[in-house]
Amino acid sequence: MGAAMRRIHVGNALSAFGLGFTVPYLYVYVAQVRGLGAVTAGLVLAVFAVAALVVLPFAGRAIVRRGPLPVLLAALVIAAVGSLSLGLAAGATTVLSSAAALGAGQAVMQPALATMIVDCSGTESRSRAFATQFFLQNLGLGVGGLIGGHLVDATRAGSFTLLFSIQAAMFLLLVGVMATVRMSRAPKVDGVSAGTAKGSWKQLLGNRAMVRLCVLGFVLFFACYGQFESGLSAYGVEAAGMSTSALGTALAANTAVIVVAQFAVLRFVVRRRRSRVIAAVGLIWAVAWGLAGFAGLGHGSREMAAAAFVSTYALFGLGEAMLSPTVAPLVADLAPAGMAGQYNSAFALVKQLALAVGPAVGGPMGASLHGPYVVAFLLCSLGISVLAVRLGRLLTDGQDHPTRANIRVVARGGASTEPAAARA
């Protein structure tokens, strides 16, 4: 990796660390420590999602016009202000406005960082770069949650003020680190007015492959990430009788599989068509939902149910490890020159929608409609496979299987599309 890519990966890890550092404790902080009640705490969590949905459409256009680095630096400053004010806030209005600033800043970081990865990588190195990003994000989330949990004390508001202050300082430190990154200017986009984003959105919506990938992405995030801390947890407690320790073990198994398998899986993934890899993930997740059904609806022992439930999360982790070097590079390869920021922001917007709808649908179903819940999401997983195969018909060979396309180019005497520095 070059110096720029190393700094980008540091940014990914630290931004994920910040998310894991405070978000798990927001409900306790607002509802109990500040004494604002469960309703206000629920609104704070909703504000995070709403803020992301509001800013992401504009973030894509800003990245295209200004470049990802200035947008990232602005997002970090906004997130730092939101974090510090949240730690000092005492009233509902201040808490909600601070949460909106923090949520908006964190939402914009991801497409900006993803666009920087695209700009600093070539076709051959892009899958590994995004796999490294996903690995570091999970590592940052886990370490952040672990350290944050040891710092906070629900009986002392000062411990939460310290927590949010450290997060704000970390964002400002990250501003200094990322400001040293030297990025080449993105190519100018033709046919898009400087004063409006209508042209770029029209161009994106006219890309059938990208639209279908967004539909596929919504189902992916809805059926997996949107269920982790809502529907699937509720189902595990109500239907399978899982204890809190069993839930913690399941989440740990998910992270462990990602950490252990990420780069081993990468070797397999880069040699396969991306559409086939995504289709295989749908089948793996269908098996995972089958195990969840056995855990909650079967008649085995409690130990067998717990093992099946932990295996469900582990298989989700395997699918996530396969998707990280597949989906994000595909979004980048579908984007015309200079439009990677717009496409990354659009896909991030789809993800936020799925993460907002997923818990709202899956939570009540997982808690009360156990059989229909498992069947519905098992069918969603099979639907992922179908959508992936259909997406593959719209992709060029270079988009679906870039490794094979590069080999063919070199075999015919042409030049590889990989930059010389990246090959070195």
Side-chain angles (χ1 to χ4, degrees), residues 24-264:
Y25 316 106
L26 273 175
Y27 185 90
V28 173
Y29 172 67
V30 176
Q32 299 179 9
V33 177
R34 292 303 183 187
L36 299 176
V39 174
T40 303
L43 287 174
V44 166
L45 298 177
V47 162
F48 266 82
V50 172
L53 295 177
V54 169
V55 300
L56 281 172
F58 302 99
R61 179 58 183 167
I63 292 172
V64 169
R65 291 187 60 191
R66 303 296 182 187
L69 184 55
V71 174
L72 174 63
L73 297 179
L76 286 169
V77 172
I78 292 171
V81 172
S83 179
L84 183 60
S85 59
L86 190 58
L88 299 173
T93 302
T94 311
V95 164
L96 291 172
S97 59
S98 301
L102 179 57
Q106 288 182 327
V108 175
M109 289 179 202
Q110 293 311 309
L113 285 166
T115 305
M116 293 175 72
I117 289 178
V118 173
D119 291 344
C120 291
S121 63
T123 305
E124 294 177 8
S125 62
R126 193 162 291 152
S127 292
R128 177 171 291 276
F130 277 105
T132 304
Q133 177 199 34
F134 188 69
F135 172 84
L136 292 174
Q137 281 179 340
N138 279 274
L139 189 63
L141 284 170
V143 174
L146 181 64
I147 296 177
H150 284 84
L151 287 179
V152 297
D153 183 352
T155 62
R156 293 189 301 110
S159 66
F160 285 87
T161 301
L162 175 64
L163 193 74
F164 287 105
S165 299
I166 292 174
Q167 185 187 42
M170 183 197 63
F171 285 141
L172 294 178
L173 173 64
L174 191 51
V175 169
V177 172
M178 299 308 295
T180 63
V181 176
R182 295 293 175 261
M183 301 288 299
S184 59
R185 188 169 180 83
K188 184 180 179 180
V189 182
D190 296 326
V192 181
S193 170
T196 177
K198 291 182 179 179
S200 54
W201 280 105
K202 183 178 180 180
Q203 185 179 1
L204 188 152
L205 294 174
N207 188 330
R208 290 180 60 200
M210 182 60 188
V211 171
R212 188 161 293 183
L213 179 59
C214 286
V215 173
L216 174 59
F218 181 88
V219 180
L220 281 169
F221 294 117
F222 174 79
C224 176
Y225 300 94
Q227 305 307 313
F228 268 9
E229 297 177 0
S230 57
L232 194 54
S233 296
Y235 170 83
V237 172
E238 298 296 337
M242 295 293 107
S243 63
T244 54
S245 61
L247 288 176
T249 301
L251 289 168
N254 175 266
T255 303
V257 167
I258 293 171
V259 171
V260 172
Q262 181 64 83
F263 294 104

Side-chain angles (χ1 to χ4, degrees), residues 164-382:
F164 287 105
S165 299
I166 292 174
Q167 185 187 42
M170 183 197 63
F171 285 141
L172 294 178
L173 173 64
L174 191 51
V175 169
V177 172
M178 299 308 295
T180 63
V181 176
R182 295 293 175 261
M183 301 288 299
S184 59
R185 188 169 180 83
K188 184 180 179 180
V189 182
D190 296 326
V192 181
S193 170
T196 177
K198 291 182 179 179
S200 54
W201 280 105
K202 183 178 180 180
Q203 185 179 1
L204 188 152
L205 294 174
N207 188 330
R208 290 180 60 200
M210 182 60 188
V211 171
R212 188 161 293 183
L213 179 59
C214 286
V215 173
L216 174 59
F218 181 88
V219 180
L220 281 169
F221 294 117
F222 174 79
C224 176
Y225 300 94
Q227 305 307 313
F228 268 9
E229 297 177 0
S230 57
L232 194 54
S233 296
Y235 170 83
V237 172
E238 298 296 337
M242 295 293 107
S243 63
T244 54
S245 61
L247 288 176
T249 301
L251 289 168
N254 175 266
T255 303
V257 167
I258 293 171
V259 171
V260 172
Q262 181 64 83
F263 294 104
V265 166
L266 177 65
R267 294 185 177 185
F268 169 82
V269 166
V270 295
R271 295 185 176 92
R272 303 295 188 276
R273 290 188 174 274
R274 289 165 171 171
S275 58
R276 303 290 175 82
V277 172
I278 300 172
V281 170
L283 296 178
I284 291 171
W285 286 356
V287 174
W289 283 107
L291 289 173
F294 172 79
L297 307 175
H299 301 286
S301 65
R302 183 174 294 274
E303 290 75 16
M304 291 179 63
F309 194 72
V310 171
S311 299
T312 297
Y313 275 82
L315 287 175
F316 275 126
L318 177 61
E320 292 173 73
M322 293 171 66
L323 289 175
S324 62
T326 304
V327 175
L330 179 54
V331 173
D333 289 346
L334 287 173
M339 291 287 291
Q342 186 80 44
Y343 277 56
N344 282 324
S345 295
F347 199 75
L349 180 62
V350 169
K351 178 180 179 180
Q352 288 295 330
L353 285 171
L355 294 180
V357 176
V361 174
M365 286 186 68
S368 56
L369 302 174
H370 304 146
Y373 176 70
V374 171
V375 171
F377 284 93
L378 191 151
L379 292 177
C380 280
S381 298
L382 295 176

